[in-house]
């Protein structure tokens, strides 16, 4: 089974969050079980299908020092069975019932889900509740899965020069915060994880009072509540500690990370800045930064793409990324790939020139209006998805945000002014401290260090 790290791309989540967070969009119904488990029902009765998700408020950022990758390792091992449902039975049952399932781990949360006919919901709820508290692991069970994860890391990172560079750049960006560690973990620390390490992590964090249940589709809270109480409401509360992450100190200097690899066919350039998000830094800037990212590099009509790709033909791609939803620091990234025959230094100079103009003159009103409309439209389109609401609300609640934080988001987006977007640009992109990364073939190693 293809289980991964964060399977829901940041761009998609950002689009869903940014656009769909209005009260009239998801219209979720919520309640809390006696043991503290939050429950969300999102009615979408167009087909007799539901997506059943359990989100745990734990991820890679919560791992003990020296134990990187344990959250992701445990995600894999959650499919290895309990006394009542031995190894393989969970997935075989979901498949036999015609459902689909998967799981994902990020720095901030871990999630498991099944999409299945609504008349089979009770079965998957019983299975999921069982493995929340009754997982059984032995060295004989974890060793083969360790090899699967090590191979996953080789495939996703070591065999991908871009992923190698990204991992090194993230480590350079964060001086102290655990976001600088890869979610999949460092190879040598994955190799050293023991059954005792993993079971201690499981017992510490996997409990109903540290979980969020989200069911979306042909369901209502009235139908869901008796099932939630029957299967999850009877589970014991754990002594789960509050989440505490080391604070990130203010960055003081610019850093450059270069990676030359013979497998690189398309060189690329990127610059990352630490940025405020919904829970870190000046949180009031978050909506304006979303609009800035869209206007500056959100697609083929954005400023960077028009200037570098369409008008000057100096790059084959150019854009930005930003996601405000992290518990800790957010990242604002500019990126571009040079056109054939042009150097990374040339594309870097071009991006810096555009950036300087934005910082000096600001974006135009039309650019901000277009970006705002695009974000709101993306959210409207995402409402057609059976699972978008479950993903959006599950991620928010697992990070400690409220339903209202999600629901009010479009209103905050609409209220952002041109002046606020330009002020956000100066606050984040005007920083001298950043991490610039360059991916190149060996022959281009002479690029500006």
């Amino acid at each position: 089974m293809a289980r991964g790290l964060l399977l829901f791309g940041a761009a998609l989540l950002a689009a869903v969050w940014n656009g769909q967070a209005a009260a009239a969009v998801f219209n979720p119904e919520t309640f809390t079980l006696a043991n503290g488990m939050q429950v969300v029902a999102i009615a979408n009765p167009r087909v007799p299908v539901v997506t059943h998700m359990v989100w745990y408020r734990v991820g890679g950022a919560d791992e003990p020092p020296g134990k990187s990758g344990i959250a992701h390792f445990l995600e894999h091992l959650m499919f290895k069975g309990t006394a009542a449902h031995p190894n393989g039975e969970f997935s075989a049952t979901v498949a036999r019932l015609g459902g689909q399932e998967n799981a994902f781990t990020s720095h901030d949360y871990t999630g498991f889900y099944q999409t299945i006919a609504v008349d089979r919901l009770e079965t998957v709820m019983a299975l999921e509740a069982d493995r929340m508290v009754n997982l059984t692991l032995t060295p004989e069970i974890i060793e083969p899965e360790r090899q699967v994860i090590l191979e996953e890391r080789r495939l996703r990172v070591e065999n991908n020069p871009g992923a190698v560079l990204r991992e090194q750049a993230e480590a350079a960006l964060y001086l102290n915060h655990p976001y600088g560690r890869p979610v999949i973990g460092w190879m040598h620390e994955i190799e050293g994880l023991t059954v005792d390490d993993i079971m201690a992590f499981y017992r510490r964090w996997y409990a109903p009072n540290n979980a969020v249940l989200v069911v979306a589709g042909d369901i209502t809270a009235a139908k869901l509540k008796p099932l939630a109480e029957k299967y999850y409401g009877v589970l014991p509360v754990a002594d789960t500690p509050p989440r505490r992450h080391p604070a990130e100190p203010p960055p003081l200097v610019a850093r450059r990370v270069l990676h030359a690899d013979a497998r690189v066919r398309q060189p690329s350039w990127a610059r990352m800045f630490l940025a405020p998000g919904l829970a870190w830094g000046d949180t009031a800037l978050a909506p304006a930064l979303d609009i800035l990212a869209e206007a500056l590099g959100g697609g083929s009509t954005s400023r960077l793409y028009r200037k570098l790709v369409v008008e000057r033909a100096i790059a084959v791609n150019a854009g930005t990324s930003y996601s405000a939803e992290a518990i800790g620091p957010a990242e604002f990234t500019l990126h571009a790939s040079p056109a054939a025959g042009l150097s990374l230094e040339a594309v870097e100079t071009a991006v810096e020139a555009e950036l300087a103009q934005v910082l000096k003159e600001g974006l135009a009103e039309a650019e901000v209006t277009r970006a705002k409309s695009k974000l709101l439209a993306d959210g409207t389109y995402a409402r057609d998805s059976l699972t978008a609401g479950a993903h959006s609300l599950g991620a928010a609640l697992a990070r400690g945000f409220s339903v209202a934080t999600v629901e009010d988001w479009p209103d905050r987006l609409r209220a952002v002014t041109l002046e606020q977007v330009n002020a956000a640009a100066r606050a984040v992109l005007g920083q001298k401290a950043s991490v610039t990364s360059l991916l190149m073939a060996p022959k281009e190693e002479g690029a500006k260090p």
Side-chain angles (χ1 to χ4, degrees):
M1 177 182 295
R3 300 186 183 101
L5 305 177
L6 178 57
L7 297 185
F8 311 116
L12 173 61
L13 269 180
V16 172
W17 259 62
N18 295 344
Q20 282 211 21
V25 177
F26 294 129
N27 291 313
E29 300 175 275
T30 66
F31 56 92
T32 302
L33 301 179
N35 57 15
M37 187 172 187
Q38 281 187 282
V39 184
V40 180
I42 306 170
N44 187 346
R46 281 180 284 186
V47 292
V49 173
V50 291
T51 292
H52 167 263
M53 309 187 80
V54 170
W55 298 70
Y56 292 96
R57 298 186 184 93
V58 63
D62 302 293
E63 295 163 341
K67 306 291 182 184
S68 67
I70 196 169
H72 174 247
F73 202 156
L74 177 56
E75 175 218 308
H76 277 239
L77 294 171
M78 286 292 286
F79 292 84
K80 296 305 178 183
T82 66
H85 301 287
N87 188 8
E89 185 174 318
F90 190 110
S91 296
T93 301
V94 173
R96 187 173 66 251
L97 298 177
Q100 296 179 332
E101 60 162 343
N102 216 319
F104 48 89
T105 306
S106 79
H107 279 116
D108 292 341
Y109 50 71
T110 307
F112 302 84
Y113 72 92
Q114 305 85 35
T115 296
I116 201 160
V118 66
D119 61 355
R120 307 296 188 179
L121 173 61
E122 185 168 0
T123 300
V124 297
M125 290 180 76
L127 290 170
E128 196 68 78
D130 175 52
R131 70 177 176 178
M132 182 181 291
V133 294
N134 294 318
L135 183 66
T136 301
L137 297 178
T138 65
E140 291 72 25
I141 290 174
I142 75 164
E143 287 310 318
E145 200 62 28
R146 189 196 311 275
Q147 299 310 312
V148 170
I149 293 169
L150 292 173
E151 185 59 25
E152 179 183 342
R153 185 183 157 87
R154 294 185 192 98
L155 180 67
R156 290 175 177 269
V157 184
E158 273 76 8
N159 289 341
N160 183 338
V164 170
L165 179 61
R166 176 75 180 179
E167 191 173 85
Q168 297 296 312
E170 292 283 351
L173 182 65
Y174 294 98
L175 301 173
N176 196 41
H177 196 279
Y179 284 177
R181 296 194 304 248
V183 172
I184 197 169
W186 300 114
M187 186 76 83
H188 69 287
E189 292 189 345
I190 300 170
E191 291 171 339
L193 295 173
T194 68
V195 170
D196 289 344
D197 292 333
I198 296 167
M199 288 305 296
F201 193 81
Y202 171 70
R203 295 190 183 102
R204 185 178 180 91
W205 297 107
Y206 278 54
N209 50 306
N210 196 46
V212 180
L213 169 66
V214 184
V215 181
D218 189 10
I219 195 71
T220 63
K223 293 178 182 176
L224 179 60
K225 190 170 184 178
L227 295 174
E229 290 176 334
K230 178 179 179 180
Y231 293 105
Y232 294 107
V234 298
L235 300 180
V237 173
D239 186 18
T240 304
R243 306 175 77 176
R244 293 193 176 93
H245 301 152
E248 181 69 13
L252 301 178
V253 300
R255 288 143 283 170
R256 294 177 74 84
V257 182
L258 285 71
H259 182 43
D261 191 298
R263 295 170 294 180
V264 173
R265 296 291 178 268
Q266 174 58 62
S268 63
W269 173 96
R271 179 165 295 167
M272 300 190 296
F273 300 86
L274 290 182
L278 289 173
W280 187 87
D282 186 355
T283 57
L285 292 178
L289 287 170
D290 269 319
I291 295 171
L292 173 67
E294 180 65 28
L296 196 56
S300 60
T301 60
S302 67
R303 176 178 290 214
L304 284 179
Y305 194 93
R306 284 188 293 106
K307 294 289 187 180
L308 274 64
V309 179
V310 178
E311 297 178 12
R312 299 182 58 189
I314 197 170
V316 295
N317 190 27
T320 60
S321 66
Y322 171 71
S323 181
E325 299 92 53
I327 296 174
E331 299 173 19
F332 196 107
T333 302
L334 310 171
H335 62 86
S337 299
L342 296 177
S343 67
L344 285 169
E345 187 171 2
V347 83
E348 179 176 25
T349 300
V351 173
E352 288 179 338
E354 292 300 328
L355 186 56
Q357 187 171 10
V358 169
L359 294 176
K360 180 181 180 182
E361 301 176 7
L363 294 173
E365 184 78 52
E367 291 177 293
V368 170
T369 300
R370 183 169 56 244
K372 196 182 296 188
S373 299
K374 173 66 164 48
L375 291 172
L376 292 170
D378 286 346
T380 300
Y381 295 137
R383 294 167 61 180
D384 287 336
S385 168
L386 177 68
T387 58
H391 294 169
S392 199
L393 284 159
L397 295 177
R399 282 172 159 140
F401 300 118
S402 68
V403 170
T405 302
V406 178
E407 300 284 275
D408 294 344
W409 191 252
D411 291 337
R412 289 185 221 149
L413 201 68
R414 293 186 185 96
V416 173
T417 66
L418 172 65
E419 290 72 24
Q420 289 171 325
V421 174
N422 288 328
R426 291 190 295 273
V428 174
L429 304 181
Q431 299 177 94
K432 295 190 181 303
S434 61
V435 172
T436 301
S437 59
L438 297 92
L439 181 67
M440 65 193 80
K443 61 183 180 182
E444 298 184 58
E445 276 190 280
K448 185 172 68 175

